[in-house]
Amino acid sequence: MPKVLEIRRKFHLEDRTTIIPIPDVTACIPEVYTAIKQVMTNKDSWLFHKKLDHPESWNYLYNYVTGIKSFWVQDAIQRGLAEGMIAWIDFGYDHGGEEFPYAEDFDFLWKYDFEPSIHLFLAKEMDDTPIFKVVQTMDTYIRGGIITAPATLWKQFWKDSYEAMLSLASCGLADDDQTITLMAYRKHPENFKLHMTTYWGEALRN
């Protein structure tokens, strides 16, 4: 916790920072964690994936943590810490400077007049490929590093993501947030606005 505050203070953002310690992240949504772990400790589940070395193929904690992104946002809303149009941006966004090699590239106010929908940034056009095939081929439709939505839709987004993770697990499968978000989109496409992008950093340049 002190390290996070130290980093935020370096950028003069300590007054806009609220830190909520999480002693055990697996205890936040234990039924989801248990379901994903049970699936992914089955060798057949691991071998089902095309790229066996990728974390979404074998790392159940990775799939759990990435899958519950919307939980944290709706939790912040319920705590009164966020309102209006809210963006989730991955802590590891930009993967070490591949898209934004200079620190000053982030020195701007990201302000866009988003309509009141859940905004997803795509790597591939949506289609009707069955989810089991998406899990197997590991195709990426959604760039999950950035998602924006109004406070009124984050709770529904979390509900759909929660149900998607458990539904997938009941079929003996598990995957990271990109597939979970795809399932949430397919359940309620009317809640979403899609933006095709050509590279990971493009969402912040719009």
Side-chain angles (χ1 to χ4, degrees):
M1 186 168 73
K3 184 65 175 178
V4 173
L5 193 57
E6 176 187 336
I7 294 171
R8 298 291 283 175
R9 187 177 290 118
K10 179 180 176 181
F11 294 96
H12 310 291
L13 295 170
E14 65 272 21
D15 61 330
R16 300 175 62 183
T17 303
T18 301
I19 301 173
I20 301 174
I22 307 294
D24 180 6
V25 70
T26 66
C28 294
I29 322 290
E31 67 276 20
V32 170
Y33 174 74
T34 300
I36 293 174
K37 182 178 180 180
Q38 183 175 1
V39 165
M40 297 189 69
T41 50
N42 184 318
K43 186 178 180 180
D44 288 333
S45 175
W46 172 59
L47 293 174
F48 185 71
H49 295 81
K50 180 180 180 180
K51 304 168 186 175
L52 304 185
D53 59 328
H54 284 216
E56 57 266 44
S57 301
W58 59 269
N59 191 326
Y60 50 83
L61 182 60
Y62 173 85
N63 281 351
Y64 168 74
V65 169
T66 61
I68 63 173
K69 291 177 180 180
S70 54
F71 167 78
W72 302 117
V73 180
Q74 63 87 36
D75 181 67
I77 294 167
Q78 290 191 47
R79 292 173 184 264
L81 300 175
E83 61 182 6
M85 183 62 71
I86 304 164
W88 169 278
I89 302 179
D90 279 358
F91 181 77
Y93 186 77
D94 193 30
H95 299 280
E98 294 177 9
E99 306 290 355
F100 298 91
Y102 306 105
E104 54 267 27
D105 286 346
F106 279 105
D107 189 15
F108 65 92
L109 177 63
W110 187 48
K111 190 173 183 180
Y112 186 82
D113 188 21
F114 287 109
E115 62 182 77
S117 301
I118 302 170
H119 294 263
L120 301 179
F121 300 90
L122 305 184
K124 178 180 179 178
E125 293 285 358
M126 293 295 194
D127 58 29
D128 296 324
T129 301
I131 290 297
F132 77 85
K133 197 70 176 177
V134 174
V135 174
Q136 183 181 44
T137 61
M138 304 176 72
D139 280 346
T140 299
Y141 290 81
I142 298 164
R143 303 187 191 278
I146 295 182
I147 300 173
T148 68
T152 53
L153 286 176
W154 277 102
K155 185 175 182 179
Q156 182 64 49
F157 185 26
W158 162 239
K159 180 177 182 293
D160 293 338
S161 299
Y162 173 86
E163 292 175 355
M165 287 184 285
L166 292 181
S167 295
L168 204 57
S170 71
C171 297
L173 299 172
D175 209 346
D176 64 13
D177 60 299
Q178 292 164 343
T179 296
I180 298 307
T181 301
L182 174 61
M183 293 174 70
Y185 163 75
R186 287 185 177 181
K187 185 168 185 178
H188 288 293
E190 69 278 5
N191 289 342
F192 292 82
K193 179 75 174 179
L194 308 179
H195 307 270
M196 179 54 63
T197 58
T198 57
Y199 63 97
W200 281 96
E202 188 174 354
L204 281 181
R205 295 193 185 277
N206 288 341

